[in-house]
Amino acid sequence: MPGMDPAELRKRFTDAPVARMATLRADGTPRLVPVTFAVVGERVFVGIDDVKPKSGRRLARLADVDRDPRVALLVDRYAEDWSQLWWVRVDGRATVHEDGPVLAGAATALRAKYPQYARATFTAVVAVEPTAWTGWSARA
Amino acid sequence: MPGMDPAELRKRFTDAPVARMATLRADGTPRLVPVTFAVVGERVFVGIDDVKPKSGRRLARLADVDRDPRVALLVDRYAEDWSQLWWVRVDGRATVHEDGPVLAGAATALRAKYPQYARATFTAVVAVEPTAWTGWSARA
């Protein structure tokens, strides 16, 4: 991981506005979606809100996590100058919270990070416990 | 998929400079990395080159594809104005080509899309045959 110590790697991940999350479908194939998120202590929280238009049914990613907790989250920087490229990945195990203190805490963290969430109601949160942090940077 | 017909969805994916690719590790967990890519006809090509610094060994994503061809690719737009959000996902089956006409054709397409690849040598290409295109846009 050239150029990124563990603290730098966590900072870059934490500060990014968007990550891409992979969950596993029932057939084991990877399901990819972009997500907003907040890092609190050791955990990464992905909120399911009523701000961004969604279909009425429970999101497939929640069913995925209930079935198989193994997820991955990726943050990266793309630039035309490829010496600026970097990425940070979190692999982890996730749980779904549809009420209780974990949901309430995650909602507070998400509202603090994103002004767009000021009036949001969160119907669920995916709480990810990282098992590995991995990073790569083009700049040594 | 509000606001995106199949042609629009393919155009947005094709024109994006970076995608995130998920492959499956031996234990079935998703491995996520950002990738450059080119769309040629029905296929998506991800090149493994000698331009962006890599470790000397064969990339883990190639071993993943050899073991299990099921992959996903995601392109998305993030903006502070959340009415501008959209994403397009390709689910598919991949094969690795380390020589031959598929590698040569992919290299040509990648050099045409990315000037950064002008002097690149490609050591392998992951060729993805899409099985599903999925998209979402915040704008109805």
Side-chain angles (χ1 to χ4, degrees), chain A residues 21-97:
Chain A
M21 180 168 70
T23 57
L24 295 167
R25 294 190 186 89
D27 65 2
T29 57
R31 185 194 310 275
L32 274 180
V33 285
V35 296
T36 53
F37 68 97
V39 178
V40 181
E42 297 298 311
R43 289 200 283 186
V44 182
F45 292 110
V46 175
I48 311 300
D49 65 89
D50 63 359
V51 170
K52 302 189 290 296
K54 299 275 171 23
S55 64
R57 60 193 169 73
R58 191 161 182 269
L59 287 177
R61 74 193 73 162
L62 298 180
D64 288 349
V65 168
D66 280 342
R67 193 191 311 110
D68 191 327
R70 299 176 301 170
V71 304
L73 291 157
L74 178 74
V75 157
D76 63 77
R77 180 186 186 187
Y78 184 80
E80 290 196 14
D81 173 2
W82 285 0
S83 73
Q84 303 295 317
L85 303 183
W86 58 264
W87 55 260
V88 179
R89 179 174 65 211
V90 167
D91 291 283
R93 299 180 74 84
T95 47
V96 174
H97 300 261

Side-chain angles (χ1 to χ4, degrees), chain B residues 5-36:
Chain B
D5 64 26
E8 173 70 11
L9 183 151
R10 291 175 65 110
K11 177 175 168 38
R12 289 191 189 191
F13 186 91
T14 300
D15 291 349
V18 63
R20 288 81 197 181
M21 181 168 69
T23 58
L24 295 167
R25 295 191 185 88
D27 66 2
T29 57
R31 185 195 311 273
L32 275 180
V33 285
V35 295
T36 54

